[in-house]
Amino acid sequence: MSPLTPSQSLSNGLNGRTNLLSASSIELARPVGRRGRIALRPPRDALLRVASPLALLLIWQLAGSTGVLPERLLAAPSTIAATAYDLFRDGVLTEALGVSLRRAAFGFTLGALVGIGFALVAGLSRLGEYAVDPPMQMLRALPLFGLIPLFILWFGIGETPKIALVAFGVAFPLYLNTYAGIRGVDAKLAELGQVLRLSRPALIRHIVLPGALPQTLVGLRQSLGVAWLALIVAEQINADAGLGFMINDAREFLRTDVVVVGLVTYALLGLLTDAIVRLLERRALAWRRNFLS
Amino acid sequence: MATQLPELTAAARVRGLVKRFGDRTVLDGLDLEIGAGEFVALLGRSGSGKSTLLRALAGLEPISGGELEVPGTVAVAFQEPRLVPWKRVGANVTLGLDVPDPEAAAAAALEEVGLLGHRDAWPLTLSGGEAQRVSLARALVRRPSLLLLDEPFSALDALTRINVHRLVLDLWERHRPGVLLVTHDVDEALLLADRVLVLESGRIAHQTAVELDRPRQRDHAELIRLRSVLLERLGVAP
Ligand SMILES: Nc1ncnc2c1ncn2[C@@H]1O[C@H](COP(=O)(O)OP(=O)(O)OP(=O)(O)O)[C@@H](O)[C@H]1O
Ligand SMILES: [Mg+2]
């Protein structure tokens, strides 16, 4: 988990001197640069980019149909597509997906509530900081997947340990980023709030929380990555339903086609949530986007 | 408010103000009175404590000694406009403002600085001069009796600056707040202010009344004379 947590220094945020505007323009450079490059690429270039994946797919298919690549190692794309359709039609895929989604949603919601809740407590009061931040910093050092044995001992092998693992993984990126975001709010804007005689609740509402939002969204993106990873691992270990169970079950019968369908489903879920976050970012950070366009 | 005679109340009164940072004394028994509706400019070398005095008047800096009295509302425009980037221009103007109709107040204030058309714009899309005008609108919408300006024009180009000078005089004549303008620019001080102060060694070491009608011409003989006096006080050979 630790490589996924943000590397920005918290002490920087603590003395409240980080300049928000300069920080955000650095932030901005990344996604926009990426999007900008894709947008500016001429169509022929785009065609060239899909050429090599298509070629690979073709080689894979040929290797599969000629028997060079045996099906027990990796099924051919056409087989996989047909299996995906069958699984979908029979409701197997949909049911597995539903079970997995439910775990992810519960775990994510729980983790987000805890992570953001603690970040607010630690970020908005000194006492809260002393109470919450040191234990959180200690716990974040624990390897997420190393906790699995303990979780099994504590929660058994039902749904609870899976949800708990996802929640645990989600809570930290959201906590760390939201906390750093709150503490990193431009001190000059806080001073402005003082000059404008904003009450403390108004200051939090108009300056502190919106100022922390960009960083929270960074945390959201990271936490979703962790959430899927945690779910996949948790589902591998012991499950009698869900995508992980479907994959594991298929392994027993050497059904590589089903395994790949499961993997692709996980990947699509990851892409989907990423797209949702991007949409959220576009709406919530419109004040930055307009500056750029 | 109606029962008060504005002529009798000062916009700010400072007596024996002391401000220390650690063992460094920046303001050392400073006395200053800004009359109601008076436009005062404050000059001084870099590091002489101009911003510190202004921040103390704004209530942003705890003082180490002396007395500080600001009877009415204070508003501040900083060197950088300090607009809240995630609030549209109109919402920036009325942030923290307690009036029955904030929308109308924002519209009126933005109209005055010529930016009504930008009411729904995001601050980051504004030019430097526009942002500074929004900052002025945000200050003036509070109907301050004391307006504190800390080098608000220093980042503007020469042409924009001339326009904003005009705007500030215009707004000042209309609303008549007491003004304390911190600036590095002797000409700016002489063109705008009723009284020009020089801060040195933690006190007001020198002051000059500028008794000329506005708008003033830079090449007016009296201004040229005052300029050389002030430059000398500031340690720059004229
Ligand atoms: N928070 C602070 N802590 C320590 N020293 C400070 C602090 N704020 C100001 N000072 C010191 O007080 C002195 C006066 O600073 P101030 O900002 O008031 O100067 P100034 O006259 O506004 O200068 P300039 O024209 O460059 O803006 C400086 O020596 C500065 O280093
Ligand atoms: Mg200064």
Side-chain angles (χ1 to χ4, degrees), chain B residues 36-118:
Chain B
E38 187 187 18
F39 200 132
V40 176
L42 181 63
L43 295 168
R45 285 180 230 200
S46 183
S48 57
K50 304 182 295 294
S51 297
T52 306
L53 171 60
L54 185 133
R55 290 169 54 80
L57 283 168
L60 291 174
E61 203 79 74
I63 60 176
S64 321
E67 274 174 53
L68 212 144
E69 206 183 304
V70 183
T73 339
V74 192
V76 187
F78 298 94
Q79 176 166 6
E80 32 5 289
R82 291 204 198 181
L83 302 182
V84 181
W86 46 84
K87 290 200 171 290
R88 290 178 196 272
V89 165
N92 256 284
V93 170
T94 53
L95 182 57
L97 184 68
D98 189 18
V99 295
D101 189 355
E103 297 270 316
L110 285 169
E111 172 96 73
E112 279 197 306
V113 299
L115 287 173
L116 186 53
H118 289 69

Side-chain angles (χ1 to χ4, degrees), chain A residues 224-292:
Chain A
L224 281 170
V226 179
W228 290 124
L229 212 60
L231 181 75
I232 291 166
V233 173
E235 290 194 331
Q236 294 289 316
I237 291 160
N238 44 63
D240 46 17
L243 285 172
F245 169 74
M246 189 183 90
I247 291 176
N248 254 358
D249 201 40
R251 190 199 58 203
E252 306 262 317
F253 300 99
L254 304 180
R255 289 288 304 271
T256 52
D257 50 345
V258 178
V259 173
V260 174
V261 170
L263 288 180
V264 170
T265 311
Y266 276 136
L268 289 178
L269 285 175
L271 287 177
L272 182 74
T273 47
D274 214 52
I276 292 172
V277 178
R278 260 212 297 278
L279 197 75
L280 264 177
E281 275 177 345
R282 208 129 34 103
R283 300 209 120 209
L285 306 183
W287 53 274
R288 269 156 60 159
R289 192 167 48 106
N290 283 24
F291 174 52
L292 290 147

Side-chain angles (χ1 to χ4, degrees), chain A:
Chain A
M1 188 182 71
S2 30
L4 288 154
T5 52
S7 57
Q8 71 268 91
S9 107
L10 284 175
S11 60
N12 209 12
L14 283 176
N15 52 35
R17 279 277 165 193
T18 327
N19 185 327
L20 177 85
L21 286 182
S22 64
S24 42
S25 46
I26 293 166
E27 272 291 303
L28 282 173
R30 236 182 330 126
V32 167
R34 215 191 285 152
R35 220 172 291 147
R37 246 182 294 139
I38 290 166
L40 288 174
R41 190 169 279 140
R44 200 170 52 94
D45 221 22
L47 269 180
L48 285 175
R49 271 191 72 79
V50 297
S52 74
L54 278 179
L56 269 176
L57 209 62
L58 198 70
I59 294 170
W60 177 9
Q61 178 65 45
L62 282 174
S65 15
T66 54
V68 176
L69 182 63
E71 196 163 318
R72 75 188 152 75
L73 287 187
L74 192 59
S78 58
T79 320
I80 293 169
T83 307
Y85 176 74
D86 289 344
L87 288 172
F88 183 72
R89 192 196 48 203
D90 302 343
V92 178
L93 185 58
T94 340
E95 202 206 304
L97 186 66
V99 171
S100 290
L101 268 181
R102 225 174 56 102
R103 288 174 186 149
F106 276 146
F108 178 81
T109 310
L110 191 68
L113 285 177
V114 170
I116 294 181
F118 278 1
L120 291 178
V121 172
L124 297 178
S125 85
R126 283 288 152 195
L127 192 67
E129 181 194 333
Y130 293 136
V132 171
D133 195 53
M136 288 301 272
Q137 298 293 344
M138 278 154 66
L139 285 176
R140 78 182 266 218
L142 293 176
L144 179 62
F145 300 134
L147 292 172
I148 291 172
L150 267 187
F151 279 18
I152 291 175
L153 285 176
W154 291 345
F155 305 122
I157 53 165
E159 290 300 285
T160 323
K162 299 176 186 64
I163 291 171
L165 198 71
V166 172
F168 203 86
V170 162
F172 285 93
L174 273 173
Y175 170 79
L176 293 168
N177 281 287
T178 306
Y179 176 66
I182 289 174
R183 287 304 164 97
V185 166
D186 191 354
K188 288 185 166 176
L189 288 181
E191 215 173 70
L192 172 77
Q194 209 180 327
V195 167
L196 296 181
R197 308 230 171 282
L198 293 186
S199 63
R200 197 174 149 74
L203 186 78
I204 290 172
R205 177 162 159 238
H206 295 294
I207 309 273
V208 178
L209 294 186
L213 187 61
Q215 192 69 47
T216 301
L217 288 172
V218 170
L220 180 62
R221 214 181 253 224
Q222 289 175 359
S223 72
L224 281 170
V226 179
W228 290 124
L229 212 60
L231 181 75
I232 291 166
V233 173
E235 290 194 331
Q236 294 289 316
I237 291 160
N238 44 63
D240 46 17
L243 285 172
F245 169 74
M246 189 183 90
I247 291 176
N248 254 358
D249 201 40
R251 190 199 58 203
E252 306 262 317
F253 300 99
L254 304 180
R255 289 288 304 271
T256 52
D257 50 345
V258 178
V259 173
V260 174
V261 170
L263 288 180
V264 170
T265 311
Y266 276 136
L268 289 178
L269 285 175
L271 287 177
L272 182 74
T273 47
D274 214 52
I276 292 172
V277 178
R278 260 212 297 278
L279 197 75
L280 264 177
E281 275 177 345
R282 208 129 34 103
R283 300 209 120 209
L285 306 183
W287 53 274
R288 269 156 60 159
R289 192 167 48 106
N290 283 24
F291 174 52
L292 290 147
S293 54

